[in-house]
Amino acid sequence: MHKGKIIIAGGSGFLGIALARHLTDEGYEVFILSRHLLPPGVPARYIHWDGKTLGAWAAELEGATAVVNLTGKNVNCRYTTTALDEINGSRVDSVKVLGEAIRACRFPPGVWVQAGSLAIYGDGGEHECDETTPHGEGIPVDTCLKWESTFDAEVTPHTRKVIYRISFVLGNGGGALRMLTNLTKCYLGGAIGNGRQYISWLHVEDMNRLWLRAIEDERMNGTYNATAPNAVTNAAFMHELRSVLHRPWSPPMPAFLVPIGCFFLRTEPVLALTGRRGIPARLTQEGFEFHHTELPEALRDLFAK
């Protein structure tokens, strides 16, 4: 017997597949809404959707335990007008259509757990950013504000709502860690710019536990920072990554060269040169215990698997 049905919208990527496996292990039946077929071996039922219009997929929300929305075009790209429209549209449209589908349910899901981003705080410098910190400025911030305001505007009287402002999730299955690992193995894993910009990070195991907590703990509501309690600088992060990959040294990347490197990697300098020092204030206050609180241990755990 399954504990319940959980819908993961936009769940065909790194975070969604990791979550599907975790929820299946916990006894749930998992359905993934995606525009793309699932890789072999993913323990979930695939349901096609386009992320913006109602369709047959909406019937699957009826009586579900939870909906988790991970939909959104990857921000690790060049910020052309077309790309930014896709980044913003994929987030806003998916939230709107899920809200519409939930309200149409006779027996709506118990909770809607929404992905957001710590990037809403902008370039935070040394300042510790908790859930009460004002938003920053810049293109990534504008995307986050559109995303969160759309989620806040969706009224679901019978469905609890939780949003996680997610940090840099560390896992072997993908994400930015895979790119940084490949660069470091090629002796290109030096500090970026002055190296003092902060990287807020979270082990994928703790991310999965946070999704599950939001699903099962009916006391949770509103906005949470999903990040480990000990953010590190870019220089410290790259040092620890080189250490676990047995690369004793890599040349730093001066700030004036970053745009050139980003051009070849088809990404934006702002993603490498800015950061924020996120802290999980609400999670800590509510008693959540992270399994991985220190970066060296978290990286060793991941690369030992």
Side-chain angles (χ1 to χ4, degrees):
M1 294 291 293
H2 290 293
K3 292 169 65 175
K5 177 172 67 173
I6 295 180
I7 313 298
I8 306 177
S12 60
F14 160 58
L15 288 182
I17 290 172
L19 177 58
R21 290 182 173 131
H22 183 69
L23 292 175
T24 300
D25 289 343
E26 291 292 327
Y28 288 96
E29 184 180 17
V30 179
F31 295 71
I32 289 180
L33 306 181
S34 176
R35 293 182 296 118
H36 309 290
L37 292 174
L38 303 179
V42 177
R45 177 182 161 193
Y46 164 75
I47 300 172
H48 182 267
W49 80 328
D50 65 3
K52 57 185 178 182
T53 53
L54 284 175
W57 60 267
E60 299 296 345
L61 274 62
E62 192 73 45
T65 299
V67 173
V68 179
N69 186 22
L70 306 179
T71 308
K73 175 180 167 59
N74 196 325
V75 298
N76 187 20
C77 64
R78 300 294 295 176
Y79 288 170
T80 64
T81 300
T82 299
L84 286 174
D85 286 345
E86 292 176 352
I87 286 170
N88 293 330
S90 61
R91 286 159 172 75
V92 168
D93 291 344
S94 67
V95 170
K96 286 182 176 179
V97 78
L98 282 173
E100 187 177 357
I102 288 171
R103 287 189 295 274
C105 288
R106 183 181 178 189
F107 300 102
V111 60
W112 177 1
V113 191
Q114 175 65 44
S117 174
L118 277 185
I120 196 169
Y121 302 119
D123 192 10
E126 293 279 342
H127 179 73
E128 290 187 336
C129 301
D130 65 17
E131 291 86 354
T132 66
T133 300
H135 66 78
E137 298 179 347
I139 290 175
V141 175
D142 291 342
T143 292
C144 291
L145 291 174
K146 290 182 175 72
W147 206 2
E148 290 200 12
S149 63
T150 303
F151 182 66
D152 291 342
E154 291 299 320
V155 178
T156 56
H158 306 291
T159 299
R160 181 169 52 90
K161 294 166 65 182
V162 175
I163 183 168
Y164 280 130
R165 291 172 173 169
I166 302 172
S167 60
F168 179 15
V169 180
L170 306 179
N172 288 325
L177 183 61
R178 179 167 56 185
M179 180 183 70
L180 292 179
T181 297
N182 291 336
L183 290 173
T184 302
K185 287 180 177 179
C186 296
Y187 295 93
L188 295 174
I192 306 297
N194 61 26
R196 294 196 295 269
Q197 65 274 32
Y198 269 86
I199 295 179
S200 298
W201 60 273
L202 182 65
H203 193 295
V204 67
E205 177 188 329
D206 281 329
M207 185 72 256
N208 287 335
R209 293 175 57 239
L210 285 176
W211 294 125
L212 185 63
R213 182 183 179 95
I215 290 167
E216 295 186 340
D217 188 343
E218 295 184 357
R219 298 170 298 177
M220 290 188 70
N221 212 304
T223 303
Y224 294 81
N225 284 351
T227 183
N230 296 308
V232 298
T233 63
N234 173 271
F237 186 96
M238 298 312 299
H239 171 79
E240 297 300 341
L241 185 57
R242 292 195 306 271
S243 177
V244 77
L245 294 173
H246 309 293
R247 295 295 188 270
W249 180 83
S250 291
M253 175 70 74
F256 72 91
L257 290 179
V258 172
I260 299 174
C262 287
F263 175 81
F264 288 104
L265 293 172
R266 301 186 64 78
T267 187
E268 284 290 328
V270 66
L271 300 176
L273 292 173
T274 64
R276 69 267 338 150
R277 192 177 186 179
I279 58 172
R282 288 195 68 194
L283 290 171
T284 300
Q285 292 165 4
E286 295 178 13
F288 182 79
E289 295 184 2
F290 292 86
H291 286 178
H292 305 276
T293 59
E294 302 295 336
L295 180 64
E297 179 279 327
L299 290 173
R300 287 196 299 271
D301 177 77
L302 288 168
F303 285 99
K305 292 180 180 177

